[in-house]
Amino acid sequence: MMKLDDLNNASATDFVALLDGTYEHSPWIAERAAAARPYLSLAALKVALARVVREASVDEQLGLIRAHPELAGKAAVAGELTAESTNEQQKAGLTACTADEFAKLQKLNADYNARFGFPFILAVRGPRGTGFTRAEIIATFERRLRAHPDVERAECLRQIHRIAEIRLNDKFGVTPILGQQLWDWAAELAVHSEDEAFLTCTYASPAHTAVAEQLMAWMRDCGFDDVSRDAVGNVVGVYNGTGDQRLLTGSHYDTVRRAGRFDGRLGILVPMLVVRELHRQGKRLPFGIEVVGFSEEEGQRYAATFLASSALTGAFDPTWLEQTDAHGVTLRDAMRAAGLPAKAAAITALKRDRSRYLGFVEVHIEQGPVLDSLDLPLGIVTSINGSRRYTGEIVGMASHAGTTPMGQRRDAAAGVAELILFAEKRAATVPDIVATVGMLEVPSGSINVIPGRCRFSLDLRATTDEARDALDADVRAELEAICARRGLSFTLQPTVAANAAPSDSAWQSRWEAAVAELGLPIHRLPSGAGHDAMKMHELLPQAMLFVRGGNGGISHNPLESVTVDDAELAVAAFQELCSSIQA
Ligand SMILES: [Zn+2]
């Protein structure tokens, strides 16, 4: 087996030779990475190799992609592939295709090549490392055939890095066993769903209760000292330390409809593995670790969101118990059906005493494309964005599309269109702020009628409250100006306003140190999405760690993906964080 020292101490020529076969027929990648030695870790080497490719010219990138064989292509059949490719294609069962599958793959190869001018690349061993099924490979092929060429080229390069990662693991004899455990747990939890074809696990449903029970069983197996489900359905595991204070951590186990497996759950499973390893080594830290599987974060079933973390901060409003879901079931009745007491006093009693806690940390899948596009497994969150949301309507005059001259129109949809373009331009002037009109509707619109009304939504987010409020003021002022100029009127209803939750600087630094300790570059980024940490921010200093999501970072979608290697690094970062805390 290869060792990092072998690579670090080798001559540049030997370094390239040792990495031969990692990137298909492309020694230039290792040649350029040789100068950046020594590498602190295998993860650091992987990131450095990916960086060489990212900084290469487009022609060099295309050359790398084209150095790869087609999946189940003619070269595979003729036995003309590199040893590494033969091994991978065989393991994926691509050499044992049925005649139908083979014909389908040949057609896909031809169509793909015609569209993009390079072969389709997929790390067939997948995020788990054990391989996609042929049906999954074909489905991925079909999906990516429709992608934009630039997006697809970038995806091919990321797949090549994943192929290289697995080849390096093989060379080094490394198996990410903690990451694999996490991945398998996430897969087992995903079996509990309200929907047969997709993962859906909303608050207090039978699937939700089943997940809670499974988490509790695993927590006991991990060696937690105390495991329970509290009055709002949070799963709480405590691993005692030698001192009285605790580190609070966790994330949510409810999901959106048609969810991914890792959103929320990753942040419960990572610290569970940390505790399992501590328990296996018979180790106690100077502080306890309290892992909370928050029962509700997504706001899918009831209007109130953060039910679970609100209970911990003392912000649970007892009137929420009267809220009803789409079927008219009150929160109180739903809780009772799930075996929870549904008593306001029991929920109020869950409020945590801040003096007992060091702080709150949360690990979460990024749910965005940033880390994936930078080829970085981990990122440090600087702030959870504050937001303002509105629903609005512009009213003009519905009139005949043929007879109303352009200068005499009062087109409500054109007014909203102008607002969208302004919001897009305004948000782009400041880093890390975003503005989105996600819903747009011309009620009872018609092809030959000028829109008299146009309804829209507006979602504004920024890393600081000041930036959010400035964006908000500008967008609203522009809405007024547009309407005045176009002879329109408008209404604007605020629906949500959430303050930004900047990371606590001491805790953010601890995450940064932990990531640096793993040999990885520190990349800081804001969280555009809300998280339990946003609520816990009201009670405790907090900071989050993001883990790269595959498939362009897609989330709230069955395509959401995390590799076992990235999951392993998340666990390792959490371990580093724990060992850095002086309690
Ligand atoms: Zn989440």
Side-chain angles (χ1 to χ4, degrees):
M1 288 304 160
M2 196 179 288
K3 293 202 165 49
L4 205 56
D5 280 347
D6 303 341
L7 288 174
N8 281 332
N9 299 330
S11 69
T13 318
D14 289 347
F15 176 78
V16 175
L18 285 166
L19 289 177
D20 181 47
T22 306
Y23 282 89
E24 201 89 353
H25 304 299
S26 303
W28 57 271
I29 300 168
E31 277 162 25
R32 289 178 206 175
R37 289 178 295 166
Y39 291 109
L40 273 176
S41 62
L42 179 56
L45 172 66
K46 292 171 181 172
V47 166
L49 292 168
R51 183 180 179 158
V52 167
V53 175
R54 205 172 57 255
E55 290 173 354
S57 69
V58 171
D59 281 346
E60 286 170 322
Q61 293 175 348
L62 286 171
L64 170 62
I65 296 173
R66 291 184 182 126
H68 286 74
E70 287 184 334
L71 278 181
K74 293 182 189 70
V77 177
E80 291 163 357
L81 305 184
T82 60
E84 289 83 2
S85 282
T86 305
N87 176 30
E88 286 150 10
Q89 298 217 7
Q90 243 164 21
K91 274 195 175 155
L94 288 168
T95 46
C97 289
T98 64
D100 259 12
E101 288 167 338
F102 187 73
K104 191 158 209 176
L105 281 165
Q106 296 316 305
K107 168 98 171 73
L108 283 165
N109 274 325
D111 292 350
Y112 188 96
N113 248 307
R115 173 152 157 74
F116 299 111
F118 48 78
F120 172 71
I121 314 284
L122 177 67
V124 289
R125 281 171 68 184
R128 175 61 173 81
T130 41
F132 288 119
T133 62
R134 285 201 296 275
E136 285 172 327
I137 290 170
I138 289 170
T140 306
F141 212 149
E142 286 170 337
R143 173 170 55 80
R144 282 176 43 194
L145 190 53
R146 299 188 293 267
H148 184 277
D150 291 345
V151 172
E152 190 51 23
R153 177 165 48 89
E155 183 59 25
C156 282
L157 293 174
R158 289 195 289 267
Q159 293 296 326
I160 287 170
H161 297 319
R162 177 64 184 151
I163 293 168
E165 170 156 71
I166 294 170
R167 289 176 179 179
L168 282 169
N169 288 353
D170 290 347
K171 266 186 202 286
F172 277 73
V174 164
T175 309
I177 47 171
L178 297 176
Q180 289 176 341
Q181 178 63 74
L182 187 148
W183 210 94
D184 294 343
W185 274 343
E188 275 189 66
L189 290 181
V191 168
H192 304 289
S193 175
E194 293 158 56
D195 194 317
E196 246 181 56
F198 298 100
L199 170 58
T200 301
C201 181
T202 64
Y203 185 69
S205 65
H208 186 261
T209 305
V211 169
E213 278 164 5
Q214 182 62 81
L215 283 171
M216 287 195 286
W218 286 337
M219 281 183 175
R220 289 191 195 98
D221 293 344
C222 285
F224 281 82
D225 297 297
D226 188 38
V227 177
S228 61
R229 186 166 71 133
D230 73 17
V232 282
N234 294 328
V235 173
V236 183
V238 178
Y239 186 68
N240 294 328
T242 53
D244 286 338
Q245 280 198 306
R246 290 175 185 171
L247 173 62
L248 194 61
T249 185
S251 192
H252 60 99
Y253 68 88
D254 70 322
T255 74
V256 296
R257 295 173 208 282
R258 297 187 166 219
R261 295 171 177 181
F262 299 97
D263 177 9
R265 293 160 179 202
L266 179 79
I268 307 169
L269 301 176
V270 165
M272 277 168 59
L273 283 164
V274 172
V275 166
R276 191 187 80 174
E277 295 309 295
L278 285 169
H279 180 252
R280 282 186 172 175
Q281 295 158 23
K283 263 177 81 173
R284 295 284 169 177
L285 297 171
F287 53 91
I289 299 180
E290 182 174 331
V291 180
V292 181
F294 290 99
S295 57
E296 199 285 332
E297 190 262 0
E298 297 286 6
Q300 292 290 300
R301 187 169 173 189
Y302 292 95
T305 59
F306 297 107
L307 290 175
S309 42
S310 294
L312 267 57
T313 64
F316 188 95
D317 180 348
T319 64
W320 290 345
L321 291 169
E322 312 309 327
Q323 283 187 354
T324 51
D325 68 5
H327 303 286
V329 180
T330 62
L331 177 59
R332 185 191 305 279
D333 287 345
M335 284 176 147
R336 283 198 183 128
L340 299 169
K343 294 221 163 61
I347 297 169
T348 312
L350 299 178
K351 181 177 189 308
R352 297 298 195 266
D353 171 1
R354 79 174 70 207
S355 70
R356 290 210 60 193
Y357 293 92
L358 298 167
F360 178 79
V361 292
E362 180 174 358
V363 180
H364 204 283
I365 183 171
E366 183 204 335
Q367 301 187 282
V370 176
L371 295 174
D372 201 34
S373 65
L374 292 172
D375 305 308
L376 293 175
L378 301 175
I380 294 106
V381 176
T382 53
S383 176
I384 304 168
N385 284 357
S387 63
R388 281 191 197 284
R389 283 186 191 168
Y390 299 94
T391 53
E393 183 174 43
I394 287 184
V395 178
M397 175 66 80
S399 54
H400 197 291
T403 60
T404 317
M406 293 313 288
Q408 286 170 258
R409 296 178 173 217
R410 293 197 283 141
D411 184 331
V416 178
E418 211 180 311
L419 183 73
I420 295 173
L421 293 176
F422 173 81
E424 182 183 57
K425 214 160 142 187
R426 169 62 177 79
T429 57
V430 182
D432 300 331
I433 73 170
V434 288
T436 307
V437 174
M439 298 193 299
L440 195 60
E441 185 200 358
V442 175
S444 42
S446 178
I447 193 164
N448 56 359
V449 178
I450 296 161
R453 289 159 66 209
C454 185
R455 294 189 191 134
F456 61 97
S457 63
L458 187 58
D459 178 307
L460 309 171
R461 306 186 195 210
T463 41
T464 65
D465 293 343
E466 296 75 42
R468 173 202 60 182
D469 293 345
L471 171 68
D472 181 45
D474 284 1
V475 170
R476 280 187 296 126
E478 184 66 15
L479 174 60
E480 256 177 62
I482 292 167
C483 288
R485 185 158 25 83
R486 288 176 169 268
L488 307 166
S489 63
F490 72 90
T491 55
L492 197 62
Q493 233 71 51
T495 55
V496 172
N499 288 340
S503 300
D504 176 76
S505 62
W507 283 100
Q508 185 186 323
S509 304
R510 286 190 190 105
W511 276 129
E512 289 173 6
V515 168
E517 206 53 48
L518 302 178
L520 295 171
I522 292 168
H523 183 78
R524 303 175 184 92
L525 72 171
S527 170
H531 296 291
D532 292 296
M534 193 174 196
K535 197 76 206 163
M536 296 310 295
H537 182 83
E538 295 167 13
L539 186 77
L540 292 170
Q542 60 78 27
M544 293 184 72
L545 179 74
F546 271 171
V547 181
R548 160 172 58 189
N551 292 324
I554 194 165
S555 187
H556 286 184
N557 187 296
L559 288 173
E560 183 189 274
S561 170
V562 167
T563 66
V564 290
D565 294 82
D566 288 359
E568 178 95 2
L569 288 170
V571 176
F574 204 108
Q575 289 170 326
E576 290 292 345
L577 178 93
C578 285
S579 57
S580 76
I581 300 169
Q582 317 287 333

